[in-house]
Amino acid sequence: MILRARTLVPMCGPPLEDAAVVVREGRVADCGPVREIEARHGPADLDLGEQVLLPGLINAHCHLDYTMMRKSIRAPKSFADWVQRINALKRTLDLDDYRKAVEDGLSEARHWGTTSLLNIESYPELLVRLAPPAIRVWWYYEMIDLRLRLPTDELIAGALAFFDGREGWLGGFGLSPHAPYTASEGLYRLSRECAEKTGMPVTTHLAESREETAMFRERSGPLFHFLESLGRDMSDCGEQSAFGRLSDHGALDPGTLFAHMNELSDDDFARLGGPPWRDRLQVAHCPRSHAYFGHAPFPYRRLCATGATVSLGTDSLASCDSLNLFAEMRHFRDTHPDLPAREILAMVTLHPARALRLDGELGRIAPGALADLIALPFTGNAAGVYNSVLAHEDPVRWLMVHGQILTD
């Protein structure tokens, strides 16, 4: 199939006007100016007209399980209050509720031009109830050993068992020790060892809130006292940050995708500036969820100075009102008005592809890349295309995933 569009945004090169893309067996076989493509391959099969063709968007951090919780929890006074509220809501739901939430979330993400999504899955047994999603999904099994009292290797084995039998699904599977306040150092270490043996990706929440910082560095605050009341072993608190402790003890893989990283100390940044972290850190930032919680300003510039790669995600609808990455990009631009629009667009294309270790296959339009594309109305010239993409506010009506056209 040969696609023609007014403008092509490949992300790995400059925008092209009057361009075409050749798609073959789910991948991009060729792309470039129409006259060159037609000379090599013949006339276009589909002329998209006054549209910009660009890579499908990649949501670097999401919880589809909570899609039904939109606007259910008012902005909390404390992070611990929010944790208790969401746990109370979860106790009122069953697997059918979560299945519908996941299906609705997948539909909404696709509605807004997302073709790949990294989902933290609390109930992986749902997978046997789902039809193969039309978009690419990486299902990260969320693991907590705060209350279950199961050996951590049993949790890992359970994760791998749930992922069996999903051959043919687009995307993949990974591990997600939830956060340092709910997952033990041993669970982090076993996750790292499992990832090294199997090649599975790992993601985790880290340094998300002031209360997490107070818990680990000062043995104080609402989160500390809440978890202590649940019987959590608090012996890992009171000396250094959770990142510092886990990093110093070899429990963190530098290839991990870290969600949030809002509250980092000077000591943490000193670690990030040297081996093994320098130029390897991957961070998923969720701008609207960040604003909902009233976190400290996201340290984007300081993270970039360590060579970190920052991607954008939506987080869940328990702290955000839509799974719309265009809205996330605009919110990030509002808080970082000096950043070029192309750099922000890279945070939902090139950067999360790198976090998935699929740099060269996702997030770009180039020969050999997976044919995951979206088209947006565009009548301007190439010089203004990045700003136009960020300003897009309507549903995305034309998508392609793995060479298959999906219409919404």
Side-chain angles (χ1 to χ4, degrees):
M1 179 185 294
I2 302 175
L3 308 170
R4 180 178 182 172
R6 176 189 179 94
T7 306
L8 175 68
V9 173
M11 292 307 297
C12 52
L16 299 174
E17 294 184 335
D18 197 14
V21 177
V22 181
V23 176
R24 184 181 299 126
E25 296 181 352
R27 291 184 180 267
V28 175
D30 200 358
C31 60
V34 164
R35 63 183 182 279
E36 297 178 9
I37 295 299
E38 292 189 341
R40 290 196 290 268
H41 303 280
D45 301 295
L46 177 60
D47 191 338
L48 294 170
E50 300 294 285
Q51 304 264 346
V52 54
L53 195 61
L54 65 150
L57 308 186
I58 306 172
N59 187 334
H61 185 74
C62 185
H63 297 257
L64 294 176
D65 291 346
Y66 307 148
T67 301
M68 82 293 279
M69 296 185 185
R70 191 189 327 255
K71 297 183 179 179
S72 294
I73 308 176
R74 292 183 179 179
K77 293 182 178 179
S78 77
F79 185 72
D81 287 343
W82 182 85
V83 170
Q84 293 177 75
R85 177 58 179 154
I86 197 171
N87 285 340
L89 286 173
K90 288 166 67 174
R91 287 193 289 271
T92 70
L93 304 170
D94 60 23
L95 281 181
D96 282 337
D97 294 318
Y98 287 114
R99 175 192 55 77
K100 186 176 187 306
V102 170
E103 292 173 345
D104 289 349
L106 289 170
S107 177
E108 180 171 335
R110 169 179 158 179
H111 182 77
W112 293 112
T114 295
T115 57
S116 291
L117 188 149
L118 283 66
N119 178 52
I120 312 301
E121 185 50 60
S122 301
Y123 304 96
E125 59 266 38
L126 289 174
L127 299 187
V128 299
R129 303 186 180 201
L130 295 176
I135 65 175
R136 297 183 195 277
V137 183
W138 275 262
W139 306 87
Y140 288 83
Y141 178 28
E142 185 172 72
M143 296 177 295
I144 293 173
D145 60 355
L146 171 66
R147 281 178 161 180
L148 294 179
R149 307 302 183 191
L150 291 175
T152 48
D153 55 350
E154 187 174 339
L155 278 176
I156 298 289
L160 298 178
F162 279 125
F163 296 151
D164 285 344
R166 304 275 81 78
E167 292 87 357
W169 286 32
L170 298 177
F173 303 95
L175 302 174
S176 180
H178 172 251
Y181 52 87
T182 52
S184 67
E185 183 180 312
L187 183 53
Y188 272 97
R189 186 172 291 105
L190 279 170
S191 299
R192 174 177 184 170
E193 292 171 359
C194 182
E196 290 171 348
K197 291 178 181 178
T198 65
M200 297 177 76
V202 177
T203 189
T204 189
H205 303 78
L206 191 61
E208 181 173 3
S209 67
R210 297 182 186 93
E211 291 172 42
E212 181 181 334
T213 297
M215 170 178 163
F216 283 101
R217 294 184 68 89
E218 303 164 14
R219 294 180 61 86
S220 67
L223 189 62
F224 177 89
H225 295 300
F226 168 59
L227 293 171
E228 186 179 42
S229 73
L230 296 180
R232 182 192 185 278
D233 179 1
M234 310 303 284
S235 61
D236 58 345
C237 300
E239 295 181 5
Q240 60 184 148
S241 70
F243 173 73
R245 181 183 179 87
L246 292 172
S247 178
D248 289 354
H249 291 193
L252 297 177
D253 185 337
T256 297
L257 175 61
F258 295 98
H260 307 307
M261 300 294 270
N262 302 319
E263 295 280 342
L264 296 169
S265 67
D266 290 342
D267 289 343
D268 292 334
F269 278 107
R271 289 183 180 86
L272 293 173
W277 298 102
R278 178 75 195 180
D279 298 325
R280 297 180 67 185
L281 183 70
Q282 300 288 339
V283 176
H285 173 53
C286 303
R288 291 185 296 158
S289 178
H290 187 277
Y292 165 86
F293 284 110
H295 294 315
F298 179 66
Y300 176 71
R301 292 296 190 190
R302 203 169 179 189
L303 285 167
C304 289
T306 72
T309 299
V310 178
S311 304
L312 298 184
T314 58
D315 217 334
S316 79
L317 295 193
S319 60
C320 185
D321 64 6
S322 70
L323 302 179
N324 181 350
L325 285 172
F326 293 100
E328 298 295 344
M329 287 191 284
R330 287 192 292 273
H331 196 286
F332 189 79
R333 181 184 57 188
D334 289 344
T335 57
H336 299 80
D338 57 325
L339 286 185
R342 185 198 177 280
E343 186 171 336
I344 298 174
L345 184 57
M347 298 166 77
V348 296
T349 53
L350 295 172
H351 293 186
R354 191 174 307 154
L356 284 167
R357 305 170 195 167
L358 290 173
D359 194 10
E361 292 198 78
L362 282 179
R364 66 181 63 207
I365 302 176
L370 292 162
D372 292 4
L373 315 171
I374 61 174
L376 310 176
F378 181 64
T379 58
N381 58 50
V385 68
Y386 296 115
N387 284 320
S388 178
V389 170
L390 263 63
H392 182 78
E393 294 186 349
D394 296 322
V396 176
R397 300 298 184 187
W398 192 96
L399 303 87
M400 172 178 279
V401 178
H402 205 72
Q404 300 296 312
I405 296 174
L406 310 176
T407 55
D408 196 21

